[in-house]
Amino acid sequence: MQAEKLQIKLFATTHTVSLEAFVPVFHEWIRVNKLPELMIDVAPYDHVPHGPGILFVGHGSDYFIDEGKGRLGLLYSRKREAPAPGERLRDSLRRAVYVASQLEAEPSLAGHLKFATNELLLRVNDRLRLPSSPAAFEANKAELQAFFGDVLGTAVELSLVSEPRELFTVSVKLPPGAPSPSLAELLTRLGGPPTA
Amino acid sequence: MSSPSQTWKDQLSTQMPEALAREIDVFETQITLRKQGKIEEKLFAETRLRRGVYGQRYDNGQRHDGEKSQELNFPCGALTKGPITVWDAPGMMRIKIPYGKLSARQLEVLAELAEEYSDQILHVTTRQDIQLHFVHIEDTPDLMRRLAAVGITTREACGNSVRNVTACPYAGVCNTQSFDVTPYANALTYFLLGHDDCQDFGRKFKIAFSGCEGESCGLANFHDLGAVATTRTENGTTLRGFRLFVGGGLGSVPQNAQLFDAFLPESELLPTAQAICRVFARLGEKQNRAKARLKFLVKKLGLEEFKRLVLEERDKLRPDERWTAFLSDLHVTDEAPLRPGSPVPSGADASFSAWQRTNVRPQAQEGYGAVTITLPLGDFTSDQARALADLMRKYTGDSLRCTADQNLVMRWVPNGDLPALRADLQAIGLGTGGAGTITDICSCPGTDTCKLGISSSRSLSSELSRQLKEMGDELPEAARGLHIKASGCFNSCGQHHVADLGFLGVSRNVGGRRVPHFQLVVGGQWENNGGSYGMAIGAIPSKRVPDAVKRIVGKFVNERQGEETFHTYINRVGKKEIRAIVDELQVIPPFEVDPSFYSDWGDPRVYTIGDMGVGECAGEIVPFVEMGLAGAEREVFEAQELLEKNDVAGAAKRAYGAMLQAARALTKDRNQNLGDDPAEIVAEFKTHFFDTKLFFDQFAGPKFANFLFKTHDEGGKAESKEAAHQLVDEAQLFVDAAHQCYARLGSSLSTPVQA
Ligand code: HEM
Ligand code: SF4
């Protein structure tokens, strides 16, 4: 992708924890340097309905326990220092999947939270490079289809789901019944946990 | 699809006002120069603050994790954007929204910026601004360009400058106003924006307008300059004017404003404000920041002497047609409703009626209501902002106002549309009622993002609001109208002095550990333009504050006599009785027994004050001369860049501009009325610096000054690349000489010339 600021949203399928429960988790992750990237702070926005939920702020990336459009999920957001164009999709998905798997395994959340791998969103946080339009979707579809087909399964179906004022957002879905990889398998396919 | 090489600068080139576009380019150049180490950090800090680019917590590169302080290893290394402020650390962007007015298109752009450069949240401040947090400095020029394309500037949103001019959000539609103050607030905003006479302040300067005396909305009482609309009848004609107040302010030493003029005619508003700015720039404290606001100067001089100096200055001002030009069209800021007014439909349900009671104000114009959209902690999302823009277009035309109590007001809603609008607001999570009641709490950023925060005012407010809402019908009627406001420290950005129950963050030592507390301030008045300040009672552990609120409110409800206000009640029962409640709550269990008291609301880390940093509220004092010389320096740099691109005419123009700017920076000090005209600058420079030989170089004598005269005579043109090259070199020499001259004259230049 030419755009640098890619976002991936992984949806939660089960969640019996409040947003508040993520706050101590992220504070602790900063304390123990859990992620291989610079993380700075935690900002709670759980008072805002259908909002960014709990923000885990970093230098290169942010992670949100996001409730946008009323659907809870983990939103990964690349802000700066993106890798080379050919690596961007893989890198973003890999970071999102890694953090999702770590959250699933987090003792205080264990059993309360699961993420789906048969559906996700790709968003591009850069209206200049990639406005939300059918033309932009067509221009990028082949690259996206090839990438997500490769990591999720060739049956993936892509559709543009954003209106023109919103960020370019593509829904990536496996058809009902199609086998979907576990988070761990997906992470392996993407090259394992991020290293930097 | 747009090509990847395209930039916002190219994309918006035809949409930005030229002057704004240029200012932003200049700021971008300053960023480049700072990265190359060519601008000193203090100067850069003040430059960025004056563009609204503010510091944020942890930008000193340190963060306490509850056990120890950890280094935040930003990739920028040693590069800073101000003293003890790491370049890469995220910061806050304050966006000036004059009198809080936003159009649907502006709202949409703000939504985009919140997504692309911040965290999807738009935050309404206590002075009607919008703030974005966690913004990287290198994103700010594009952010500003996108704002400029919809007519918004961030200029002078922070720093030692005239901050956002605020006004009551009901101006123009209010039942109690003398007249609509909007066009006056608008005229004064743009008259003072970037004005030379406002560049040499020792501290910020805040202006507020109010349409009437009795309501709270304009808060004219606690501003440096407060203008309250009033009229007078003379020979059968109604004349408009203002009760003008000066020297009010909150902060750690709150001060009520004093009446400067009981009737300042409308035509005198702008020149009087200008004269006040000059006196403040000249005589205001510059060394001791804690004493630098106008309130201290007025106190020191006494109102009468201050007034005398201002009137004397007023007479010396060079006449300016802008003083009165705006009066010929006071309708520029009028709003046209989308639809005719209509009556409220009958048969509304109880939930609608409750919302209507707190969130709808009948307008002065028959058939319309002004709707308050209650925002939790002043926050709303990009998605909500876009949806609101749609609702504006659907119901009201095009105006929304941010309020000082951190909500939004939609005006011109036909009453018949209220139920439908309510339903639409509910669908986007903005249909909450309770505006202006005890659950609608205001808060400064506190420890969430502010470097000076001591306690978490936001999380406290959120928790209080939650608990009070949970009480539902149990919350007594008499308690509902109370106002709660919280500040994270004594600087009072949450305006806690003018609340019934105000809180300010403090910390206390308990058994060798730090415990977050809030000092309770009771009985302040939001009414009467923030009419009086509350009394400090005592400090309560943060975790006990909700308990304290419930007890005090319960006591008030039980003991209230008739329709007594909380303010009157407090004055009647006195501090002591309230203090008894606080005292009881002060003792907390040891850490080992209950560690929950030892961390703050919303933040599970063991509490510490180790994260507090040095605030940028006062900015850096950089005299006008130094700002000007730095500007000249930057123009030489730009001239060099243009030369490299073979733009001969552009390079020559910039080189000439650099010399003029340097000359003006020096000369302005000798002649405060100096304008922008090159001929005037050159003539005045000659009088004050050439004829007096003050500018002469020790070895080269008049040589450098002559570069300016020659270039001016030639109109700043160059015939060839060589000639332009020479001109750029001469400009550099001239600017260097100006620096030398300033260094030689030093204090005599920066010391104000006494009247
Ligand atoms: C010594 C430093 C500071 C002082 C003395 C100070 C004082 C004040 C006061 C008195 C007000 C509001 C009431 C009024 O209008 O008069 C205010 C507004 C505000 N302050 Fe501060 N402040 C300081 C630093 C900060 C910092 C570091 C932050 C956080 C980054 C901050 C955030 C705010 C906000 C969000 C507002 C509402 C304002 C607006 O839009 O202009 N302040 N400040
Ligand atoms: S009151 Fe204190 S904590 Fe709150 S914003 Fe102002 S300076 Fe920061």
Side-chain angles (χ1 to χ4, degrees), chain B residues 58-77:
Chain B
Y58 315 122
D59 66 9
N60 57 356
Q62 302 283 328
R63 181 181 184 276
H64 208 281
D65 63 20
E67 288 183 4
K68 61 184 181 311
S69 197
Q70 285 203 33
E71 193 103 355
L72 296 169
N73 288 313
F74 290 104
C76 59

Side-chain angles (χ1 to χ4, degrees), chain B residues 20 27 36 64 90 113 203 207 217 311 354 360 375 387 427 469 498 510 517 556 643 646 659 677:
Chain B
L20 260 182
F27 181 56
Q36 296 172 355
H64 208 281
L113 304 181
R203 211 55 179 84
I207 301 178
C217 332
L311 296 179
V360 182
L375 300 175
K469 278 183 192 150
V498 288
V510 180
H517 278 63
F556 165 60
L643 200 59
N646 291 319
M659 289 194 234
D677 174 42

Side-chain angles (χ1 to χ4, degrees), chain A residues 5-8 75 121-125 167-169, chain B residues 120:
Chain A
K5 293 163 68 177
L6 305 190
Q7 299 186 330
I8 297 282
L75 175 69
L121 295 181
L122 165 78
R123 272 198 340 202
V124 179
N125 194 15
L167 293 174
F168 174 89
T169 309
Chain B
Q120 313 177 48

